[in-house]
Amino acid sequence: ICDIINETEEGPKDAIRAVKKRLNGNRNYREVMLALTVLETCVKNCGHRFHVLVANRDFIDGVLVKIISPKSNPPTIVQDKVLALIQAWADAFRSSPDLTGVVHIYEELKRKGIEFPMADLDALSPIHTPQRLCPLQGVPEVDPATHMHNPQPQPQPRVGTAPPFTGTLPPTYTAPQIPSLQVSAGPITANSEQIARLRSELDIVRGNTKVMSEMLTEMVPGQEDPSDHELLQELNRTCRAMQQRIVELISRVSNEEVTEELLHVNDDLNNIFLRYERYERYRSGRAAQGANNGLRQASMKVPHLNVILYLVFFIFLIIYFPLN
């Protein structure tokens, strides 16, 4: 669904219409919860075109808020889900002028005394891409003279509230970090210090996976900045090297909690690799399509040249051999 939304012109509008159809007046709250889950996933994995349609006042107030109105009286789980989405999007889109409709609704609901569920916003999957924390070797940095986004130094925004990607300001991303994740021979019985160090290194893996996910969400195949595409490729190589070591650890670590964490990280890596492969396939397809269009346009020019030559020859005949 997210691929269709991102890759087709009418994808965002069609998706919003489909979501509205599932949510408006639907008393089957299992379907409503599933539709909300799809909506949440699309917001996390689709780009700005979809965000504009979701974050506007008409959709938030006319669809989502209506679900939790006293007249509808939905189950608590549905109310909590809707309020959690509004809260998360208000926090994420607060700094984007064209996405603040959800922010206004959120503040209005709070003024009315609506209690939002407790949520760790830092733990939520990010929607926007944070700024690059350090330059990647071999990748040129954006010239501040040509892209003056923040004339004054700003503190690093937390994930989920970073400025959104726009068509005029190229995004910047965090360079991949490489944890050690050393694997020794034989079964591993780690002490508390070793487990703490391993979890710290897994946090680095999660960070790289998160940045890779954000890049795949924001970048348009075939239209990305070359340096960003180079960084995406390096992230893919780094994450694949990490996964090899994680797989080795899974079968040899004796701590069940650590093994569970390793399995979750491995699942996240597999999912991001699938997204990366789809991205590269679509990028290659667009490049091939562009080349075919160029050949087609070149071939279309030949008949025009023949027509011109024919007309010149015909005029020549009329001038030198006039009809009686």
Side-chain angles (χ1 to χ4, degrees):
I1 292 174
C2 295
D3 287 343
I4 293 172
I5 293 173
N6 289 330
E7 296 170 5
T8 60
E9 187 66 28
E10 297 298 319
K13 294 179 181 178
D14 292 342
I16 288 295
R17 280 196 293 268
V19 170
K20 286 182 177 179
K21 185 176 179 181
R22 291 292 183 183
L23 296 179
N24 284 335
N26 193 349
R27 295 289 180 171
N28 184 338
Y29 289 109
R30 181 178 179 275
E31 281 191 7
V32 171
M33 285 296 293
L34 291 173
L36 291 173
T37 301
V38 171
L39 177 62
E40 179 183 21
T41 303
C42 292
V43 170
K44 289 179 178 178
N45 292 279
C46 298
H48 189 74
R49 293 187 303 148
F50 186 75
H51 294 165
V52 170
L53 300 177
V54 172
N56 67 69
R57 175 178 285 271
D58 290 341
F59 182 80
I60 299 297
D61 195 30
V63 179
L64 295 187
V65 174
K66 188 178 291 185
I67 294 173
I68 59 174
S69 66
K71 182 179 179 180
S72 300
N73 192 27
T76 302
I77 188 174
V78 175
Q79 296 182 40
D80 288 346
K81 182 68 173 179
V82 171
L83 292 174
L85 291 178
I86 293 174
Q87 184 179 38
W89 297 342
D91 184 75
F93 297 139
R94 191 174 299 276
S95 60
S96 182
D98 54 345
L99 301 176
T100 54
V102 64
V103 179
H104 299 322
I105 297 296
Y106 171 65
E107 292 173 348
E108 289 174 9
L109 292 174
K110 290 190 70 175
R111 284 195 295 269
K112 291 178 181 178
I114 300 295
E115 294 186 6
F116 285 81
M118 296 295 295
D120 181 5
L121 295 178
D122 287 329
L124 296 174
S125 296
I127 297 172
H128 293 315
T129 304
Q131 296 178 348
R132 181 178 293 165
L133 300 179
C134 56
L136 178 65
Q137 292 182 358
V139 179
E141 290 290 281
V142 177
D143 183 0
T146 57
H147 301 288
M148 296 188 67
H149 181 37
N150 291 318
Q152 298 296 329
Q154 297 290 333
Q156 178 66 27
R158 67 179 180 179
V159 171
T161 60
F165 169 77
T166 65
T168 57
L169 296 173
T172 53
Y173 305 102
T174 306
Q177 303 178 60
I178 304 177
S180 57
L181 292 177
Q182 298 298 326
V183 181
S184 59
I188 300 173
T189 304
N191 57 37
S192 58
E193 182 180 349
Q194 290 172 323
I195 290 176
R197 186 166 63 250
L198 176 59
R199 283 174 169 159
S200 175
E201 293 176 343
L202 287 178
D203 286 339
I204 296 176
V205 179
R206 293 188 187 98
N208 286 339
T209 306
K210 183 182 296 184
V211 173
M212 193 171 175
S213 175
E214 293 159 4
M215 293 184 73
L216 289 170
T217 298
E218 294 291 344
M219 291 164 56
V220 178
Q223 301 179 24
E224 65 280 295
D225 186 271
S227 65
D228 288 334
H229 185 242
E230 182 179 342
L231 176 57
L232 180 63
Q233 291 176 318
E234 180 166 347
L235 276 165
N236 178 61
R237 290 191 294 268
T238 302
C239 288
R240 288 187 184 276
M242 294 174 181
Q243 188 186 41
Q244 292 179 359
R245 286 174 278 183
I246 287 173
V247 170
E248 292 177 21
L249 284 169
I250 288 173
S251 60
R252 298 166 72 177
V253 172
S254 58
N255 187 298
E256 291 185 5
E257 291 184 2
V258 174
T259 301
E260 186 177 354
E261 289 185 45
L262 289 168
L263 288 170
H264 282 307
V265 172
N266 188 56
D267 288 342
D268 291 340
L269 287 169
N270 284 330
N271 289 333
I272 203 65
F273 293 151
L274 287 174
R275 289 185 60 196
Y276 173 79
E277 290 165 5
R278 286 198 298 266
Y279 179 92
E280 289 293 350
R281 282 199 302 269
Y282 184 65
R283 185 174 183 272
S284 300
R286 292 192 66 172
Q289 183 180 5
N292 291 335
N293 290 340
L295 291 174
R296 190 179 299 110
Q297 291 176 0
S299 64
M300 290 175 64
K301 294 178 181 179
V302 176
H304 295 308
L305 180 60
N306 291 338
V307 169
I308 294 173
L309 291 175
Y310 178 78
L311 289 174
V312 170
F313 181 70
F314 184 71
I315 294 172
F316 173 81
L317 291 177
I318 292 175
I319 294 175
Y320 288 95
F321 301 98
L323 296 175
N324 295 330

